[in-house]
Amino acid sequence: MGFEMDLNTVAIFSQVVECGSFTQAAESLDMTKSTVSRKVADLEQHLGVRLITRSTRNLTLTPEGEIFYQSCVQMLEIMSQAELQVTANQDLVRGRLNVVMPVELGQQVMGQYIHDFLKLYPNVSIHLELTNREVDIIGEGIDLYAQVGDVSDSSMVARPFHNSRRVMVASPRYLEQYGQITTPEDLKPPHHQVKIYNKAVKVPRWQLMQDENEVFIDLPYQLRVNTITSSLMACLDGLGIAILPEFLCREHLASGQLVQLLPDWDMPMVPVSFVYPQRKLIPKRLRVLIDYLINRFEQRTELLETNKAADFTM
């Protein structure tokens, strides 16, 4: 019997691409690795082109494989939508999503929202990775990535949902030791920063703005860390000046553990966006998740602004 390409074969190939591994694809499909590998090999022979380049460490789509995969995604989504239209439960949302976001955003805010989402949609499973490493959205089969900073890849869809305000802070103990900061000109040695460095969150040199004035600061550092939380803890311990998201250090400013420096000077807002591969038809589960997370985040922002205004008037 000759090879017949059907939706089952398309789904197997798509799963291999999204998992980035024949083994993981086989586990998720409850099939043997040999069966999955043979199905993909038969598909390649039928099409007359190589779809996947295999190496000992990873799988890479060929140009023909990328074109075919995008068509498979659209085909499966069309079938999924058609199925929903003829089932009794038109609102059924199901399937797996691979979600990646920076550590602090996941731990401080989005993690709880994802927990609540899964309680609302028990037929959805989410693989959530909190990391500050640089990611390859296509190569790693990531469905949704939370990007802090500008999105430079035009092949991705970016949906901005927040502009993060940053503040310059130091502990009273640090200021007692190294001197007060009253003007940007004071930001020079022996003053030093707690430097944040990671590939997921791009932190350039400091930019201060006031009316028509603009100043760029690049202080030396004694300690370099790869997470915002680590920078906050080091700043609280008096190890330097830090630039932090306002929401992360608000309670420490209120308690006096930190002091905001140069409050009359502004810093550029940092955009935060949800980024996902360019697709004409994205899975319903992904659309619903994005809308849910943004809605919860907007509710949180409104609550914080209300509380901040109340504190100001007291």
Side-chain angles (χ1 to χ4, degrees):
M1 181 180 295
F3 174 82
E4 293 183 3
M5 185 172 68
D6 53 19
L7 283 176
N8 184 50
T9 303
V10 169
I12 291 173
F13 169 72
S14 298
Q15 192 71 14
V16 170
V17 174
E18 291 166 7
C19 290
S21 162
F22 282 96
T23 301
Q24 292 181 20
E27 290 177 355
S28 64
L29 293 169
D30 195 22
M31 302 172 66
T32 64
K33 179 183 176 182
S34 60
T35 299
V36 171
S37 181
R38 176 173 54 79
K39 287 285 187 180
V40 173
D42 290 344
L43 177 61
E44 290 178 323
Q45 185 175 1
H46 171 74
L47 296 173
V49 295
R50 182 169 292 280
L51 300 174
I52 297 176
T53 300
R54 303 157 176 81
S55 70
T56 56
R57 290 191 174 183
N58 53 32
L59 306 177
T60 305
L61 284 175
T62 64
E64 294 81 5
E66 179 62 39
I67 294 172
F68 186 71
Y69 171 66
Q70 295 300 330
S71 297
C72 290
V73 169
Q74 295 182 30
M75 187 186 313
L76 293 171
E77 177 62 17
I78 290 171
M79 292 303 300
S80 176
Q81 294 298 324
E83 180 184 357
L84 290 176
Q85 290 174 9
V86 298
T87 57
N89 186 358
Q90 299 260 342
D91 295 326
L92 186 62
V93 178
R94 59 185 170 187
R96 191 186 73 187
L97 291 169
N98 294 324
V99 179
V100 179
M101 59 183 59
V103 174
E104 280 76 19
L105 184 61
Q107 289 181 339
Q108 301 290 334
V109 183
M110 291 295 179
Q112 184 59 56
Y113 300 163
I114 289 177
H115 297 172
D116 295 340
F117 176 85
L118 291 173
K119 294 173 185 176
L120 288 174
Y121 299 97
N123 293 313
V124 175
S125 62
I126 292 178
H127 290 188
L128 175 62
E129 179 183 357
L130 303 183
T131 179
N132 289 331
R133 66 180 178 83
E134 193 169 17
V135 302
D136 178 0
I137 295 178
I138 296 294
E140 297 180 44
I142 296 170
D143 296 298
L144 185 65
Y145 176 62
Q147 170 88 40
V148 177
D150 295 324
V151 179
S152 58
D153 191 343
S154 60
S155 68
M156 297 289 129
V157 177
R159 186 169 169 184
F161 64 92
H162 180 60
N163 281 313
S164 177
R165 182 171 182 266
R166 297 178 299 161
V167 292
M168 182 187 305
V169 295
S171 71
R173 179 171 54 179
Y174 171 88
L175 295 174
E176 288 175 5
Q177 182 175 357
Y178 292 97
Q180 298 297 315
I181 303 293
T182 58
T183 70
E185 287 72 25
D186 294 329
L187 292 170
K188 59 185 179 181
H191 284 294
H192 52 276
Q193 65 168 305
V194 178
K195 188 176 183 65
I196 302 173
Y197 178 83
N198 65 65
K199 294 183 178 180
V201 181
K202 311 297 183 183
V203 183
R205 59 181 178 161
W206 299 349
Q207 180 182 2
L208 304 178
M209 302 173 295
Q210 185 185 70
D211 299 326
E212 301 296 322
N213 299 320
E214 186 177 58
V215 179
F216 291 92
I217 306 295
D218 192 5
L219 277 177
Y221 65 89
Q222 185 179 13
L223 175 66
R224 189 175 82 170
V225 296
N226 72 331
T227 70
I228 298 172
T229 301
S230 297
S231 178
L232 170 63
M233 299 306 296
C235 188
L236 287 168
D237 280 342
L239 291 177
I241 301 169
I243 301 295
L244 299 171
E246 182 188 28
F247 81 89
L248 195 63
C249 55
R250 185 177 290 129
E251 64 179 80
H252 301 293
L253 290 169
S255 68
Q257 292 177 290
L258 291 178
V259 177
Q260 181 178 353
L261 308 178
L262 306 180
D264 295 333
W265 288 77
D266 296 320
M267 304 189 73
M269 296 285 196
V270 177
V272 185
S273 308
F274 283 129
V275 183
Y276 51 93
Q278 184 80 260
R279 295 175 182 170
K280 293 182 180 179
L281 291 172
I282 68 172
K284 184 174 182 179
R285 58 186 177 274
L286 180 55
R287 289 200 305 270
V288 173
L289 175 63
I290 293 173
D291 290 342
Y292 179 85
L293 293 179
I294 290 179
N295 182 58
R296 288 290 301 270
F297 193 90
E298 289 176 346
Q299 291 176 357
R300 172 185 179 276
T301 301
E302 291 175 2
L303 180 61
L304 289 175
E305 291 300 323
T306 300
N307 292 340
K308 184 178 179 182
D311 291 340
F312 181 76
T313 57
M314 290 178 62

